[in-house]
Amino acid sequence: MNNEQELENIHKSANIVDVISSYIPLTQKGKNYFGVCPFHEDHSPSMSVSEEKQIYKCFSCGAAGNVFTFVSEYENVKFIEAVKIVADKCGLIFKGSQSIKKSKPNKIEYEIMDLSLKYYQNNLNTELGKTAKEYLNSRKLTSTDIKEFDIGLALDSNHSLHSLLTSKKYDIETLANLGLINRNGKYINDVFTNRIIFPIHNLEGETIGFTGRIYRKEDSEQAKYLNSKETIIFKKGQILFNYHRAKKEIARKKEVIIVEGNMDAIRMSSNGIKNVIALMGTSLTKEQVDIIKNLRAKVILMFDNDNAGETATFANGNILESAGLNPFVVRLSGEKDPDEYIIKNGTKAIIDNIANPISFLEFKLKYLKKNKDLSKTNDLVSYIKEIIDNIKDINDDLTKELTINKMSKDYDLPIDLLKKELQKHENTKIIKVEPQKKLVKKKISKYDIACRNIIYFMLNDIKYIIKYKKDLGFLDNKKYRGIASEIIYYAEKENGIDMASFITYINTKDYLSDDVMEIIKEVNLEELDMASFEEFIRVASVEMARNQIKNLKEQIANELDANKRLELANKLLEIKKGCVGYEK
């Protein structure tokens, strides 16, 4: 069985209604099923799922595709990983993933990092790793934890990793660029020595960097932690520690806990709290916020129990809130961080805290009181203004109303006065951001619209493919021409066309899949008929004729040979006569 057959067998075994309903509730209305779309802020069911066609379509945001693309987008995984998930739901084993993976850039860099990790792991399991293992055990990390989190050891040697990698013919330049070695003239040494190694993985679980921690008393004057530098494959702002392990549990619980440190995530996960991820030492970036939004889960911030952790909670909570999320906060007391808290108080104590978070707004109201004496007019005015400034961007009117009412009651202030102040801040906000909101929309030509619709029709029924071949047969735009040709090839090979199956087929290719999915998402036609298709064919034909005529006119203007000019002119006349609907 080849890879395409295997994919199609899994696709046919997976009823899209059953799979999607395992993620979101669906209600049958007529032939189709409807549910609240998980890919945008949807408050009424706008996603339609067709059991007959095995496709879904949101008529609000345009999200569309087959069972594999739904799982891919919902779980924020690549297409091939989505196939594995669907196969597992159907009780099948997907064997063909390795041979149909798309070519991956930076293959050598990933190979080097993987080999380095295996080397560090091996070190920990030798006699030389005995002291490091004893240290890890003293920190309540078991052999199971060490294995699960791929923990390793950098030896007391300046050249051990360097020697291993160069013996495998990896060049010095690449090793230096990956942050594995330091190079100073002719002197070369390993970056990580005498440190316990915690690997950093990307969203797919591939090793891209390392954190090294000291463990010997004689090294206590050194920095406790040493992190890999950013490289071509390691960008701090694009990953979240432990994401690849936590994502399934996050999807199951519909809740994600964000902590500050790697060790906090490891400690919590090893104690059964698996839905936890950690920042990478910086405030949340746009890329990280997008990753978190795609999880579609309740967000709980649980940062260190110190002033820096409190400040980080405020800063990152505001970032999430500005992105349209409604985060919650857990502030632990006593111990410095979740790692120490669990060791001292046990797992149940931290689970109890997680079960009772406060809203970010409640945290904000307390945070803004810091260092203020609210019995003093100036401090009270400053506090009220800061609160209003912080709630003006919230999209939830009910939250704003409750906050205003609470301030009015707590500080005996007229509600109308507070609302007037809020309105003033909101108006100021609009004036400031309005220029940034003016987006220049890319104009879509009549030809583009016609081509997209032609392709969409062809994906739905073979009669439109036959009509296209007979009446048009060609699109002069390379992208659309390539898609149309691929559809024709697939239809001839399979003796028919099925959109859901074609999506599976095209997603195994290194080309066109993104363009195909864009068309499926953007074209919003509920009813298809031959008369409409013929009109799109006519529009495309006219627009292509216009382009041909324009090109011929330019050739005629630049042609010096009288006979060739006459030949081009006759060709021009033929095109004009043959193009119904063409106007000068």
Side-chain angles (χ1 to χ4, degrees):
M1 183 187 295
N2 64 34
N3 292 319
E4 286 182 20
Q5 288 174 325
E6 186 182 13
L7 284 171
E8 188 55 23
N9 283 347
I10 294 169
H11 176 233
K12 287 180 178 177
S13 300
N15 186 316
I16 193 169
V17 172
D18 293 339
V19 174
I20 292 182
S21 62
S22 71
Y23 292 98
I24 60 171
L26 294 177
T27 303
Q28 187 171 10
K29 293 180 183 178
K31 288 194 304 180
N32 294 340
Y33 293 76
F34 290 84
V36 172
C37 178
F39 304 122
H40 75 286
E41 288 294 324
D42 193 14
H43 302 291
S44 60
S46 61
M47 175 177 281
S48 171
V49 183
S50 170
E51 190 167 30
E52 179 186 358
K53 295 182 178 179
Q54 289 293 301
I55 58 173
Y56 66 93
K57 176 87 173 181
C58 175
F59 293 104
S60 180
C61 73
N66 67 1
V67 65
F68 298 138
T69 57
F70 180 90
V71 172
S72 175
E73 292 199 28
Y74 191 96
E75 299 227 18
N76 198 28
V77 296
K78 292 181 178 178
F79 182 82
I80 292 303
E81 181 64 26
V83 174
K84 293 180 189 175
I85 293 169
V86 173
D88 186 57
K89 286 179 180 289
C90 297
L92 302 173
I93 297 172
F94 180 43
K95 300 176 181 178
S97 59
Q98 292 301 319
S99 55
I100 63 174
K101 275 186 177 177
K102 295 180 182 180
S103 57
K104 187 177 184 68
N106 308 119
K107 181 182 175 184
I108 297 298
E109 284 79 4
Y110 286 107
E111 280 181 7
I112 292 171
M113 297 304 286
D114 186 56
L115 180 57
S116 300
L117 174 59
K118 287 183 171 63
Y119 168 74
Y120 289 138
Q121 288 176 299
N122 184 64
N123 289 342
L124 190 61
N125 292 316
T126 65
E127 186 64 27
L128 295 172
K130 185 179 178 182
T131 304
K133 266 197 171 179
E134 289 172 352
Y135 170 81
L136 289 168
N137 293 153
S138 73
R139 291 293 308 272
K140 311 290 186 188
L141 288 174
T142 65
S143 57
T144 301
D145 299 331
I146 291 168
K147 185 176 180 181
E148 181 181 354
F149 292 95
D150 302 323
I151 300 171
L153 175 67
L155 299 175
D156 185 6
S157 166
N158 286 328
H159 304 289
S160 58
L161 179 63
H162 159 236
S163 298
L164 169 69
L165 295 175
T166 51
S167 73
K168 301 290 185 183
K169 308 303 180 186
Y170 295 117
D171 65 275
I172 297 294
E173 186 76 22
T174 304
L175 302 183
N177 290 339
L178 284 172
L180 295 173
I181 64 168
N182 287 318
R183 185 173 50 174
N184 185 7
K186 292 184 179 180
Y187 182 73
I188 295 172
N189 66 286
D190 292 350
V191 167
F192 296 99
T193 59
N194 289 323
R195 289 179 181 268
I196 290 173
I197 297 296
F198 299 92
I200 300 167
H201 301 89
N202 62 16
L203 303 184
E204 288 76 45
E206 297 163 308
T207 306
I208 55 175
F210 299 105
T211 293
R213 193 198 193 284
I214 59 170
Y215 67 97
R216 307 186 310 176
K217 289 182 179 178
E218 56 264 41
D219 297 326
S220 59
E221 293 185 3
Q222 295 183 34
K224 185 185 287 187
Y225 289 100
L226 177 65
N227 296 310
S228 288
K229 69 176 185 178
E230 291 205 345
T231 68
I232 193 169
I233 61 172
F234 175 34
K235 310 291 183 188
K236 288 182 182 179
Q238 296 176 2
I239 61 168
L240 291 156
F241 182 81
N242 200 48
Y243 175 89
H244 68 292
R245 295 188 191 92
K247 61 186 177 183
K248 285 187 179 179
E249 185 68 1
I250 292 168
R252 189 182 73 81
K253 284 190 172 181
K254 297 296 181 188
E255 179 181 275
V256 57
I257 303 163
I258 305 176
V259 295
E260 281 190 73
N262 296 8
M263 199 59 221
D264 297 322
I266 291 172
R267 176 72 62 204
M268 292 174 68
S269 187
S270 66
N271 281 269
I273 306 168
K274 303 288 186 182
N275 56 323
V276 59
I277 56 179
L279 300 184
M280 297 300 300
T282 59
S283 291
L284 284 164
T285 64
K286 181 185 180 302
E287 290 86 354
Q288 289 170 329
V289 170
D290 287 342
I291 294 166
I292 293 166
K293 286 183 77 172
N294 284 338
L295 291 170
R296 288 170 287 279
K298 177 182 178 181
V299 179
I300 297 176
L301 300 176
M302 188 162 61
F303 292 166
D304 290 356
N305 180 32
D306 54 18
N307 288 334
E310 193 174 34
T311 302
T313 302
F314 182 72
N316 287 287
N318 279 324
I319 291 169
L320 291 169
E321 200 172 57
S322 296
L325 293 171
N326 182 27
F328 290 79
V329 174
V330 169
R331 297 296 296 154
L332 301 173
S333 59
E335 280 59 53
K336 176 183 177 292
D337 53 33
D339 174 25
E340 293 183 5
Y341 188 90
I342 290 177
I343 292 173
K344 181 73 180 292
N345 301 285
T347 305
K348 185 180 182 302
I350 202 166
I351 288 174
D352 290 342
N353 275 279
I354 293 167
N356 295 283
I358 61 172
S359 70
F360 180 62
L361 178 61
E362 187 179 346
F363 165 80
K364 233 186 331 193
L365 294 177
K366 292 177 180 178
Y367 179 82
L368 293 172
K369 282 183 183 177
K370 283 182 64 177
N371 305 318
K372 287 186 176 69
D373 182 352
L374 299 186
S375 65
K376 295 179 179 178
T377 303
N378 286 344
D379 279 5
L380 180 58
V381 170
S382 173
Y383 175 61
I384 297 294
K385 285 183 178 291
E386 282 184 329
I387 291 174
I388 288 174
D389 189 55
N390 274 274
I391 67 171
K392 72 178 189 296
D393 295 325
I394 298 174
N395 293 323
D396 188 351
D397 290 336
L398 180 59
T399 300
K400 288 181 181 179
E401 188 74 21
L402 291 173
T403 306
I404 290 291
N405 287 337
K406 180 174 172 49
M407 286 194 294
S408 173
K409 183 179 179 181
D410 289 351
Y411 305 108
D412 195 24
L413 294 168
I415 286 182
D416 289 344
L417 177 65
L418 294 173
K419 286 184 176 180
K420 186 177 179 181
E421 187 69 18
L422 175 60
Q423 188 176 25
K424 186 167 69 177
H425 278 68
E426 288 176 332
N427 290 338
T428 303
K429 179 195 75 171
I430 292 169
I431 291 168
K432 285 181 179 178
V433 302
E434 190 174 8
Q436 298 174 1
K437 285 189 175 181
K438 289 181 179 177
L439 301 174
V440 179
K441 289 187 177 180
K442 185 179 178 182
K443 189 175 180 181
I444 301 177
S445 69
K446 286 197 299 182
Y447 177 65
D448 280 318
I449 294 170
C451 289
R452 293 180 186 196
N453 281 286
I454 288 168
I455 287 166
Y456 190 79
F457 271 76
M458 291 170 69
L459 285 169
N460 275 274
D461 198 310
I462 196 165
K463 67 184 179 184
Y464 298 119
I465 297 174
I466 295 168
K467 186 69 173 174
Y468 167 83
K469 290 167 66 177
K470 179 185 174 187
D471 290 3
L472 196 63
F474 178 84
L475 292 168
D476 61 7
N477 177 286
K478 183 179 178 182
K479 177 175 74 174
Y480 300 133
R481 183 170 67 250
I483 296 171
S485 297
E486 203 69 56
I487 293 171
I488 292 168
Y489 166 77
Y490 181 85
E492 290 175 349
K493 180 169 70 80
E494 300 295 330
N495 295 316
I497 188 70
D498 171 73
M499 186 190 291
S501 297
F502 183 79
I503 290 171
T504 302
Y505 163 76
I506 203 67
N507 267 282
T508 65
K509 308 297 178 183
D510 282 330
Y511 54 92
L512 296 180
S513 59
D514 289 343
D515 294 328
V516 170
M517 293 311 301
E518 181 184 346
I519 290 169
I520 292 171
K521 289 175 181 179
E522 289 187 0
V523 175
N524 199 359
L525 297 173
E526 293 189 46
E527 298 294 332
L528 309 181
D529 61 83
M530 188 58 76
S532 298
F533 184 68
E534 288 174 345
E535 176 59 19
F536 292 129
I537 290 283
R538 189 196 67 77
V539 171
S541 179
V542 168
E543 292 302 313
M544 286 195 294
R546 289 184 193 278
N547 288 334
Q548 286 181 289
I549 289 167
K550 181 182 175 183
N551 291 334
L552 282 169
K553 284 181 176 179
E554 289 176 358
Q555 290 179 49
I556 291 169
N558 295 323
E559 182 57 64
L560 299 177
D561 188 300
N563 289 327
K564 286 187 178 179
R565 275 206 311 273
L566 181 59
E567 183 182 330
L568 291 169
N570 288 332
K571 191 175 180 181
L572 178 63
L573 186 60
E574 286 177 17
I575 292 172
K576 286 183 177 181
K577 286 180 180 178
C579 183
V580 178
Y582 171 76
E583 298 174 3
K584 293 181 181 180

